[in-house]
Amino acid sequence: MKISLTLEIAKSLMLARLKQTTVAAVGVTFSLTMFVALLGFMNGLNTMLDGLILNRTPHIRFYNEVKPNPNQPIDQSEEFGDYYNIIRSIKPSASRISIHNNEAIVKTLQEDPRVLGVAPKISAQVFYNVGTINITGVINGIDVEAEADLFFFQDYVTAGNYIDLKNTANSIILGKGAADRMMAEIGDVIQATTAQGNRIQLKVVGYYQSGLGDLDNVQSYASIATTQKMLGETASYITDVQVKLKDLALAPSMAREYRDVFGIDADDIQTVNAQFETGTRIRTLISYAVGITLLIVSGFGIYNILNMMIYEKMDTIAILKAIGFSGRDVNNIFIAIALTIGFVGGGAGLILGFLAGLGIERIPFETEALPTIKTFPVDFNPKYYLIGGVFGLVTTYFAGYFPARKASSVDPVDIIRGK
Amino acid sequence: MKGEIVLEAKGINKYFFSPEKTQVLKEVTFQISKGEFVSVVGKSGCGKSTLLYILSTMDTDYEGALFIDREEMNTKSQKYHSKIRNEKIGFVFQFHYLLNEFSVLENVMIPGLKLGKYSREELEHRAMEKLKIFGMQGHALKKANQLSGGEKQRVAITRALINDPLIIMGDEPSGNLDKKNGDIVFSIFKELTQEFHQTLLIVTHDQDFAAATDRIIEMEDGRIIRQ
Ligand SMILES: Nc1ncnc2c1ncn2[C@@H]1O[C@H](COP(=O)(O)OP(=O)(O)OP(=O)(O)O)[C@@H](O)[C@H]1O
Ligand SMILES: [Mg+2]
């Protein structure tokens, strides 16, 4: 049968019961609105919370761990080399936490096509001297530009200009927590002592606030050159090489690969931050579950209304069959009604969901912990709209399926006789 | 002017099983030729409606053989029966049975749209022509439920005609109308046979109506006793 006729009859049946049809469509609209708004919001939050850690975490970090030499003298001796030697209380040797030959390593990494960027770093334990009190801290010596490019350093500098760190000699950007404790204003000069006992005067050019309080209480940033000078090391002294990849998923395999090539330790982001992925996945799962539940509930609404319509329209169905419509034709008419409700209600739902997303995105959301966030984050990924739309149509189809089958099996003789 | 046979029933038996097994049609056998105006009469409950539902292919639960246009119907699918009803049979019920969601014109056009032989424009034209025959063209755009009983029945007959069916069947089409409207319906049927050589099979209680048809099939207790 021609689709146009099916649609025409479906349309007339719906118009004859406009109110119920509208209620059914509004049910779909509501659930799809909630579905996309919820998923958009949830995933916006997910991305933001993950970004909090993941943005600033290198995908691979190369470093030298302080640990005993696995190749102890007794193993090297000719006499005992073939024995199984047990040594108790081994101590780490005078360890090199500096990465040997780091320039070559950086160069090799930069030439790797999978690598987005490389940023060297120095971690230095220090005491900030405040009057007679010493506060422990860590000064990260960073390549300011690489750090800004790869790890959004500038986003977390809440006061002062991050680039001053590079342009001003002996400058420091203090962690907000540390600065508060020292009551150091921008422009002040603070004094720090390194673990080796060197004292150095540093000029505060900004505050750094990551949103993780523990971090902000200890971490501060200086340029690599300043840190090297502070530690009394040469220009080749680097303790960490941080790598950001084009594809995060490659991190574990690449970490393994280069660990062997360079003979140093390498941590990948998945191993270090496994818990974040789990959290993200569960939040996403919950939002899908809620969204799909809403859709199914609206599906029952459509089911009910179609069933009612079929009881009311028994005569119409009987006449249609008497004048030559087959069971399949009648079935198609009611499926068309269900799908129209799904299509119109769902379309409106997707648009309203998008608007709801825009609305949520405007709600102010300011917290000390998240300096870069001003409003609620919303993810407008078309994926959610696609999934919502498809699920909406599938539910309405199934909601229409059983009533339509019932309609198609109406026996016209029963109805005509029953009059 | 007896033409070829358009409808043939051979030894039709029909049972109902609730509340108990009863046979309502017994060895019903007859033929209808092209152009005939046949009436079926008989006491209430003798099985006239039951027979008509079988002949119209709506009821397929019977014994015996049914031929429409010399084509055997028993072995065909439901879908095929629908097609036959659409193409070859026009049915007029006692109760007017129009589609209340549609206008008069649309009601007449729907079987034609279903058949798909003519374009929408042509069908509209044909439908209007046929409505004109019965003086109903002025009501074409009304909704079906805005008509009187007699008017509805005229529209129902127009609808039965739209696909130029092989045969029109009617189950007491004037049974629910007053004398005047009943007469109008009868004169319409008469006109259809005389001017258009339309084949008609009409169940009726009205003796005068039956007497004026070409042939009377009389039933009693599920059997044809005279034809
Ligand atoms: N679904 C059914 N189940 C059981 N018995 C039925 C059923 N339909 C009809 N009957 C019986 O079959 C017989 C024939 O019914 P039918 O409707 O064909 O009579 P009719 O000749 O059309 O009568 P009327 O002139 O009153 O319309 C009646 O006795 C009726 O009670
Ligand atoms: Mg009857």
Side-chain angles (χ1 to χ4, degrees), chain B residues 140-154:
Chain B
L141 299 178
K142 279 189 184 171
K143 280 271 184 255
N145 54 10
Q146 293 172 317
L147 298 180
S148 76
E151 289 167 342
K152 279 183 188 169
Q153 203 58 306
R154 274 180 272 168

Side-chain angles (χ1 to χ4, degrees), chain B:
Chain B
M1 42 154 265
K2 288 278 146 70
E4 56 194 282
I5 291 165
V6 295
L7 185 134
E8 182 172 10
K10 267 192 191 159
I12 289 184
N13 290 305
K14 165 83 187 176
Y15 303 89
F16 281 119
F17 295 95
S18 65
E20 66 214 32
K21 185 172 174 179
T22 43
Q23 188 171 9
V24 288
L25 292 177
K26 295 162 189 163
E27 289 299 319
V28 172
T29 302
F30 67 97
Q31 297 177 341
I32 294 176
S33 308
K34 198 168 170 58
E36 267 191 308
F37 185 0
V38 181
S39 56
V40 181
V41 297
K43 284 208 196 80
S44 182
C46 70
K48 305 181 296 291
S49 296
T50 308
L51 176 64
L52 218 53
Y53 297 140
I54 290 173
L55 297 180
S56 69
T57 74
M58 281 193 281
D59 185 354
T60 51
D61 180 22
Y62 59 91
E63 291 169 4
L66 170 65
F67 296 84
I68 294 175
D69 212 5
R70 299 223 204 90
E71 203 176 0
E72 214 255 345
M73 284 295 125
N74 307 55
T75 54
K76 299 293 195 296
S77 68
Q78 290 253 15
K79 200 176 155 73
Y80 193 79
H81 290 151
S82 298
K83 190 165 166 275
I84 291 292
R85 283 204 291 281
N86 184 230
E87 213 177 302
K88 299 193 171 166
I89 302 174
F91 209 100
V92 184
F93 309 99
Q94 176 176 4
F95 303 95
H96 324 296
Y97 271 129
L98 295 178
L99 300 165
N100 289 327
E101 297 83 6
F102 292 90
S103 71
V104 166
L105 183 63
E106 286 168 328
N107 261 285
V108 176
M109 284 167 66
I110 282 174
L113 290 170
K114 166 70 186 141
L115 184 62
K117 194 164 125 194
Y118 299 102
S119 74
R120 182 174 277 269
E121 290 72 33
E122 281 173 295
L123 263 177
E124 209 168 307
H125 180 71
R126 283 170 58 86
M128 283 309 275
E129 289 289 292
K130 297 206 191 265
L131 282 170
K132 231 174 256 171
I133 300 175
F134 308 129
M136 288 298 296
Q137 74 272 31
H139 302 280
L141 299 178
K142 279 189 184 171
K143 280 271 184 255
N145 54 10
Q146 293 172 317
L147 298 180
S148 76
E151 289 167 342
K152 279 183 188 169
Q153 203 58 306
R154 274 180 272 168
V155 174
I157 296 169
T158 319
R159 181 177 67 193
L161 283 169
I162 190 73
N163 287 340
D164 297 323
L166 197 66
I167 182 166
I168 289 184
M169 301 182 190
D171 192 357
E172 304 186 41
S174 58
N176 207 28
L177 300 176
D178 60 16
K179 176 88 181 105
K180 181 170 148 269
N181 275 302
D183 288 345
I184 293 176
V185 167
F186 181 74
S187 64
I188 288 170
F189 285 142
K190 206 70 200 164
E191 192 179 335
L192 287 174
T193 38
Q194 281 165 1
E195 287 183 27
F196 304 98
H197 306 296
Q198 176 69 56
T199 316
L200 293 162
L201 176 63
I202 308 293
V203 170
T204 183
H205 271 123
D206 186 336
Q207 286 305 320
D208 300 339
F209 185 110
T213 59
D214 299 345
R215 178 151 73 104
I216 300 174
I217 295 176
E218 199 175 333
M219 289 181 69
E220 195 178 290
D221 213 7
R223 269 180 223 286
I224 293 182
I225 53 169
R226 202 169 346 185
Q227 61 166 310

Side-chain angles (χ1 to χ4, degrees), chain A residues 272-292:
Chain A
V272 177
N273 287 306
Q275 77 274 21
F276 288 103
E277 225 173 302
T278 318
T280 304
R281 202 173 305 146
I282 287 173
R283 279 192 293 269
T284 311
L285 202 71
I286 291 173
S287 10
Y288 273 106
V290 172
I292 287 169

Side-chain angles (χ1 to χ4, degrees), chain A residues 73-90:
Chain A
I74 192 165
D75 298 321
Q76 293 171 22
S77 87
E78 278 178 28
E79 199 183 340
F80 299 104
D82 295 336
Y83 286 70
Y84 188 79
N85 303 310
I86 296 174
I87 316 170
R88 294 182 198 281
S89 293
I90 311 181

Side-chain angles (χ1 to χ4, degrees), chain A residues 99-113:
Chain A
I99 297 174
H100 180 62
N101 203 9
N102 58 66
E103 264 170 60
I105 289 177
V106 168
K107 195 150 173 284
T108 313
L109 287 170
Q110 272 166 343
E111 278 163 8
D112 190 315

